[in-house]
Amino acid sequence: MTTEALRNSIVADMGLAPEGHLKIDWVEAHMPVLNRVRKEFEADLPFKGLNITICLHLEAKTAYLAKVIQAGGAKVTITGSNPLSTQDDVCAALVEDGITVFAKYNPDPAEYKQLIINALETKPDFIIDDGGDLVTILHSERPELLETIRGGAEETTTGIIKLKALEKEGVLKLPMVAVNDAYCKYLFDNRYGTGQSAFDGIIRTTNLVVAGSTVVVVGYGWCGKGVAMRAKGLGANVIVTEVDPIKAVEAHMDGFQVMPMIEAAKRGNFFITVTGNKDVITGEHYDVMKDGAVLANAGHFDVEVNKPELAKRAVSIRTVRKNIEEYRFADGRKMYLLAEGRLVNLAAADGHPAEIMDTTFALQALGLRYVRENHEMLDRSVIKVPYEIDEKVARYKLDSLGITLDTLTEQQKAYLDSWNA
């Protein structure tokens, strides 16, 4: 065990480390792309001598990403990007592996924020962010900590929205690679990862049948597409609500009912929000929902399902199972909110499958190396993941599956490059 990591870390219980190591070992065995990147990093040491702070959902797959960054020569500090997704055993295992950890499961809001600040006070050279927690604190409360930071990478849609808002106002102080916008991220992680993991959390928590029920998917971006696809595969009747007419047409053409939320609220048994916006389910919707409606959120923050308006209508609130709060209304109807309205796939389950995060975290690692190598030439803006990195990750994934591709002949290349062939 590295004494410095143990001395500096704030975790719940170091005695949990053995179970955490088992979890990390399991995902490592199922992440061949990231393993290949790790070998490259061990040979090249792209982060030698650098401090890197990571803010992500702190479970086993994230832990392995941290170890890969560490293998690249970095001194790594990590904190959690959601109070309910942190796994204390994984945190303890990382400390034993020499990584400084500032994270606990379910801290109060003040402690949660302080843990993030502690991670930033290690004065990182580069950062990996999820949902913009690090970037928000750096730009709003602790700008002096920006002095050492040369750039970073952002994991998810919510964080990209914040970064683009900062960029639009001309106040973004860092080049940040938008990992979420890489093809391999939103096509696979957002769609297949969220689709499976959201239902993993819902089914584990409720032990209710999905087949024959009506599932309302709120938002038809890439995450919404994945959730709707999995709901259909489980035998549900699927309704989609949207504000974007193009996405609404797509949902219709994919075979789903499309209608306003106020109409869908009357029909749904399960409601799953995936918009990245606030107040997509509110009081007017609770007023017409069926008895027993289950409310789950798969967006980054717990603002999509309006909790104050739900509580205002309730005459009693009680926890009926772990991660299920029952809100009973005066008319006898009951609504069930999962995982306090936080990310159901991480707060009530283990997040995306290891094979999905394998490609996503390979993008994170390679994207961070790109920023490390090019930060002096990059604008303080939201940076696209270079296509070469996207393609490299996809090829590594195909290699791990034993899948080979055709290649263009020179004549085919010439044909495609010519306007009068």
Side-chain angles (χ1 to χ4, degrees):
M1 185 188 303
T2 302
T3 304
E4 183 179 359
L6 179 61
R7 182 174 64 249
N8 295 335
S9 294
I10 299 175
V11 297
D13 183 358
M14 285 301 301
L16 298 174
E19 184 176 346
H21 285 300
L22 290 175
K23 287 183 177 180
I24 297 169
D25 290 346
W26 172 259
V27 300
E28 179 181 350
H30 294 85
M31 301 180 86
V33 178
L34 201 54
N35 286 333
R36 189 163 170 180
V37 171
R38 179 176 184 164
K39 289 181 180 179
E40 293 180 7
F41 283 6
E42 288 172 338
D44 300 339
L45 296 177
F47 307 119
K48 185 177 180 179
L50 298 176
N51 293 335
I52 293 176
T53 291
I54 300 171
C55 180
L56 289 169
H57 297 287
L58 221 173
E59 43 78 49
K61 298 174 289 291
T62 299
Y64 189 53
L65 170 64
K67 292 181 68 173
V68 170
I69 300 296
Q70 182 188 45
K75 181 179 179 181
V76 178
T77 300
I78 193 164
T79 187
S81 66
N82 186 294
L84 295 187
S85 62
T86 294
Q87 297 183 9
D88 289 327
D89 52 357
V90 170
C91 293
L94 281 179
V95 174
E96 286 196 343
D97 287 335
I99 291 172
T100 300
V101 181
F102 296 108
K104 296 179 180 179
Y105 175 76
N106 201 23
D108 63 47
E111 185 181 14
Y112 170 72
K113 183 177 180 180
Q114 185 58 51
L115 291 168
I116 294 175
I117 292 172
N118 288 347
L120 286 172
E121 287 178 339
T122 61
K123 297 184 178 180
D125 297 287
F126 295 92
I127 61 173
I128 292 178
D129 206 358
D130 187 357
D133 283 346
L134 296 181
V135 165
T136 298
I137 289 174
L138 286 168
H139 285 75
S140 63
E141 299 180 38
R142 301 296 299 273
E144 78 280 4
L145 297 176
L146 283 162
E147 293 178 2
T148 63
I149 303 175
R150 295 176 246 174
E154 168 57 50
E155 168 78 6
T156 196
T157 305
T158 302
I160 301 299
I161 291 171
K162 290 183 178 181
L163 288 172
K164 288 183 176 178
L166 285 165
E167 182 183 30
K168 185 177 180 181
E169 292 180 18
V171 295
L172 181 61
K173 302 297 184 182
L174 303 168
M176 292 290 293
V177 171
V179 173
N180 181 76
D181 292 350
Y183 285 111
C184 281
K185 171 66 164 68
Y186 66 71
L187 287 176
F188 308 129
D189 179 308
N190 292 7
R191 178 166 50 174
Y192 299 110
T194 306
Q196 178 168 322
S197 64
F199 276 103
D200 183 16
I202 292 167
I203 292 169
R204 278 197 208 188
T205 304
T206 67
N207 195 32
L208 297 176
V209 68
V210 178
S213 70
T214 296
V215 172
V216 177
V217 180
V218 188
Y220 203 66
W222 286 105
C223 293
K225 292 172 191 175
V227 172
M229 181 192 302
R230 289 292 164 260
K232 183 178 181 179
L234 288 167
N237 303 300
V238 181
I239 296 172
V240 170
T241 72
E242 250 300 340
V243 295
D244 185 318
I246 298 173
K247 293 177 182 176
V249 171
E250 183 180 14
H252 169 74
M253 297 292 281
D254 285 344
F256 303 120
Q257 298 180 71
V258 180
M259 64 187 69
M261 186 64 217
I262 192 64
E263 295 300 322
K266 302 172 185 176
R267 308 186 189 191
N269 304 110
F270 295 91
F271 295 83
I272 307 170
T273 59
V274 274
T275 69
N277 207 338
K278 63 180 294 186
D279 295 342
V280 295
I281 299 181
T282 62
E284 63 175 338
H285 307 127
Y286 305 138
D287 290 342
V288 298
M289 283 182 178
K290 295 179 180 179
D291 179 36
V294 175
L295 308 170
N297 168 51
H300 188 79
F301 290 116
D302 61 335
V303 296
E304 303 204 23
V305 177
N306 188 306
K307 293 190 288 185
E309 291 188 11
L310 184 60
K312 181 179 178 180
R313 283 163 169 74
V315 295
S316 69
I317 303 172
R318 62 172 182 157
T319 299
V320 292
R321 285 170 63 102
K322 183 180 179 181
N323 285 318
I324 304 181
E325 291 173 299
E326 175 194 85
Y327 291 76
R328 185 170 64 85
F329 294 178
D331 61 8
R333 287 180 301 133
K334 298 172 183 177
M335 305 288 134
Y336 298 104
L337 179 66
L338 306 189
E340 300 178 12
R342 299 186 183 276
L343 275 162
V344 71
N345 52 345
L346 279 150
D350 289 318
H352 293 358
E355 301 93 332
I356 292 293
M357 296 312 297
D358 188 25
T359 55
T360 294
F361 283 161
L363 286 168
Q364 277 284 14
L366 294 174
L368 191 67
R369 184 175 69 178
Y370 172 77
V371 177
R372 160 73 178 92
E373 295 171 346
N374 298 279
H375 67 91
E376 293 179 353
M377 299 177 288
L378 296 173
D379 294 332
R380 296 177 178 181
S381 61
V382 182
I383 310 296
K384 289 185 177 180
V385 173
Y387 180 76
E388 294 76 16
I389 292 178
D390 230 350
E391 184 181 51
K392 180 177 184 177
V393 169
R395 289 191 180 279
Y396 281 6
K397 179 64 176 178
L398 290 172
D399 288 347
S400 74
L401 297 170
I403 297 173
T404 57
L405 300 180
D406 291 321
T407 56
L408 295 173
T409 65
E410 292 304 316
Q411 292 87 346
Q412 288 173 321
K413 292 178 184 177
Y415 179 81
L416 292 175
D417 289 339
S418 174
W419 66 271
N420 64 350

